[in-house]
Amino acid sequence: MSEDKPDLDPQDFSDLRRLGHRMLDDMFDHIAGVRDRPVWQKMPQAARTALRGSLPRGPTPAAEVYDDFAALVRPYSTGNIHPRFMGWVHGGGTAIGMLAELLAGGLNANLGGRDHAPIEVERQVIAWSAEMLGLPAATAGVLVTGTSIANLIGVLVARTAALGPAVRAGGLAGGGLTAYASAGAHGCIPRAMDMAGLGTDSLRLIPCDAAGRIDLPALAERVARDRGEGRHPFLVVGTAGTVDTGAIDDLAGIAALCRAERLWYHVDAAYGALAALSPRLRPLLTGIEQADSVAFDFHKWAQVPYDAGCILVRDPAALTRTFAQQAAYLRREARGLAGGAPWPCDLGPDLSRGFRALKVWMTLRVYGADRLGSVAEICCDVAQALAARVDREPALERLAPVALNIVCFRARVSDEANAAIVADLQEAGIAAPSTTMIGGRLAIRAAIVNHRTRVPDVEALVDAILDNPLLK
Ligand SMILES: Cc1ncc(COP(=O)(O)O)c(C=O)c1O
């Protein structure tokens, strides 16, 4: 009978313990030796083929499965732990974050609700986040996968604030809501409008000034025009660090406009939020502390391993009005494990939720907020060094001001040649910038987000570009 059948734990932990220690040592070596490896290697077809197969019906020894991981997966990962990974906006991770993932996996806690310590850890992380950005101590929030979902939550909370909680049952019913963001806003903002049922056409993308910041008079004019035409402006999304160039909107200006116009003021600070920890960079974010809600990531500039996004909402009731539900099977009790209300499942769309907070909590405690602020400063200094080098090279041309940590530039060759140069750099494993379009031209885009990146890394990037035969 079932009593004879073993559970999934090892009968004897000694082999697994040895294997676990080997995994840990190997991953420490992997992180410590990152500079000796190419940034990225394309996965060979043989490795892709070796990963494929039908559902394994029977067991495979854990050591054999780990060997497959070591041979087929580990060498062909994204490469964002490497100091010369500069593509998109990727954090570098830390060994302490990795250990926190191990501990969280061991506890296997579900942070949807109930009365247990992991939720207290998340509450502390939310309180620290509010403190970091200058929001009130009572600010509510939850950790989510990333800023894309955090922005969606921001849009939903703003919608409920505009139309009242009845919208949750009755739907939008042609409410005519219109939202506003700069033309430099991340694509997850229109996607949030889409997913919220508001439609991307209801998002007004306002032009930017030469510095890439939302044009405030144009924003005010568009809000007035929409009101005049009988629509219902409800939300302005400010960006603290645009994805293309790192521009930061005039957040205090947006705050004032939102106050005057009674609009919800949300900030997408996906990576820029961490600038708040640097006394030197903090003034760039002035006005973020007035936000009704802020979305940002710990997996970017805070170097917490993927994934760890965060939504903060100034008025806790606005968040619960948007998400709280009553269900008999989730009854909150005054005592016992079902105590501890309010539960995080009332603050966002997820019911089952992992213990993301542990890796954030451990990162903030082990390094301290000041050290993370200095990581952001170093990244900005490295970006300035890259911009200065680009400006000195006649074969290169800079395409945007460098407000924070992103440098967009191009070689004075065709768009196709610039794209080929980037692919060459990636395939040679020398560096991994990405590309974007700036002013209709293809830009080589270097986002300095990794705490390991230093000036010689960006010098190596430029040297390799200048060495490319397409420039000869
Ligand atoms: C400004 C901005 N907003 C939102 C996002 C999306 O964040 P995530 O990838 O964590 O969903 C990014 C990602 O780079 C970003 O730079």
Side-chain angles (χ1 to χ4, degrees):
M1 294 305 288
S2 60
E3 287 74 40
D4 311 330
K5 299 251 193 309
D7 60 26
L8 297 179
D9 291 329
Q11 301 275 300
D12 167 5
F13 269 83
S14 15
D15 282 353
L16 191 61
R17 189 184 300 274
R18 247 189 316 277
L19 178 64
H21 289 172
R22 180 151 77 84
M23 288 174 174
L24 211 51
D25 283 340
D26 289 353
M27 283 317 281
F28 283 145
D29 290 344
H30 182 76
I31 295 170
V34 65
R35 278 189 176 278
D36 306 328
R37 293 194 304 273
V39 178
W40 174 76
Q41 300 182 82
K42 186 176 161 69
M43 192 177 185
Q45 193 50 48
R48 289 181 207 265
T49 309
L51 270 188
R52 297 196 186 124
S54 51
L55 178 69
R57 308 273 349 172
T60 312
E64 201 177 304
V65 176
Y66 175 60
D67 288 345
D68 281 348
F69 165 81
L72 304 175
V73 180
R74 196 171 60 203
Y76 310 114
S77 188
T78 336
N80 51 305
I81 71 168
H82 198 289
R84 288 197 304 279
F85 187 100
M86 302 161 194
W88 303 276
V89 186
H90 278 48
T94 65
I96 200 73
M98 175 185 83
L99 293 177
E101 289 273 57
L102 177 82
L103 302 181
L107 284 187
N108 192 28
N110 182 343
L111 277 78
R114 294 154 288 270
D115 192 10
H116 53 105
I119 289 182
E120 284 306 327
V121 172
E122 180 157 343
R123 288 183 181 132
Q124 179 60 79
V125 164
I126 295 300
W128 284 339
S129 303
E131 187 180 340
M132 167 176 92
L133 295 175
L135 287 156
T139 296
V142 279
L143 297 183
V144 290
T145 42
T147 295
S148 297
I149 294 302
N151 279 328
L152 171 62
I153 294 173
V155 168
L156 290 169
V157 175
R159 171 218 61 178
T160 311
L163 298 180
V167 68
R168 294 178 63 189
L172 292 169
L177 295 183
T178 49
Y180 306 79
S182 92
H186 192 271
C188 66
I189 305 296
R191 198 165 53 182
M193 292 290 287
D194 165 9
M195 290 191 288
L198 294 155
T200 54
D201 288 351
S202 303
L203 176 67
R204 313 308 198 205
L205 291 179
I206 308 298
C208 298
D209 63 17
R213 296 145 44 111
I214 194 166
D215 178 338
L216 275 180
L219 169 63
E221 188 275 325
R222 190 68 213 256
V223 169
R225 174 143 59 100
D226 279 331
R227 273 204 214 288
E229 291 173 1
R231 298 197 183 84
H232 183 169
F234 80 112
L235 162 71
V236 179
V237 179
T239 303
T242 58
V243 62
D244 273 337
T245 68
I248 301 172
D249 284 336
D250 174 354
L251 299 176
I254 296 177
L257 182 130
C258 287
R259 219 176 11 256
E261 295 285 341
R262 300 174 150 273
L263 302 173
W264 188 273
Y265 164 37
H266 174 81
V267 180
D268 174 356
Y271 62 93
L274 265 286
L277 296 182
S278 148
R280 194 181 90 202
L281 301 174
R282 177 77 181 87
L284 297 171
L285 300 181
T286 299
I288 201 168
E289 72 289 345
Q290 299 178 54
D292 292 306
S293 52
V294 181
F296 71 98
D297 282 319
F298 284 105
H299 58 219
K300 293 188 165 82
W301 242 355
Q303 315 296 330
V304 171
Y306 285 88
D307 46 30
C310 182
I311 177 72
L312 297 177
V313 177
R314 173 182 295 269
D315 173 11
L319 198 51
T320 46
R321 267 199 298 273
T322 305
F323 291 106
Q325 264 186 330
Q326 306 295 330
Y329 47 84
L330 290 175
R331 256 173 69 92
R332 322 295 150 90
E333 305 290 357
R335 60 192 196 87
L337 181 52
W343 289 1
C345 63
D346 286 339
L347 308 178
D350 294 313
L351 177 53
S352 290
R353 311 173 59 252
F355 195 5
R356 288 190 185 96
L358 186 64
K359 58 192 173 184
V360 180
W361 185 75
M362 287 187 72
T363 300
L364 282 164
R365 289 201 57 199
V366 167
Y367 295 106
D370 294 349
R371 182 87 190 275
L372 296 179
S374 89
V375 165
E377 280 181 17
I378 292 168
C379 289
C380 292
D381 292 346
V382 172
Q384 289 299 340
L386 172 57
R389 172 81 195 272
V390 166
D391 293 348
R392 282 198 305 274
E393 294 295 344
L396 304 179
E397 176 186 8
R398 192 143 60 81
L399 294 179
V402 178
L404 274 177
N405 58 334
I406 297 180
V407 186
C408 288
F409 62 102
R410 69 196 297 276
R412 294 183 195 274
V413 287
S414 67
D415 281 0
E416 293 70 28
N418 275 284
I421 288 168
V422 169
D424 286 347
L425 286 167
Q426 294 169 352
E427 288 178 352
I430 296 172
S434 56
T435 61
T436 189
M437 298 301 291
I438 303 282
R441 291 188 297 173
L442 190 126
I444 302 173
R445 177 178 164 286
I448 315 301
V449 188
N450 189 317
H451 61 98
R452 304 179 180 96
T453 307
R454 292 293 179 272
V455 173
D457 296 307
V458 294
E459 294 287 357
L461 165 76
V462 175
D463 291 346
I465 292 172
L466 296 177
D467 264 359
N468 192 295
L470 288 165
L471 264 69
K472 305 292 175 198

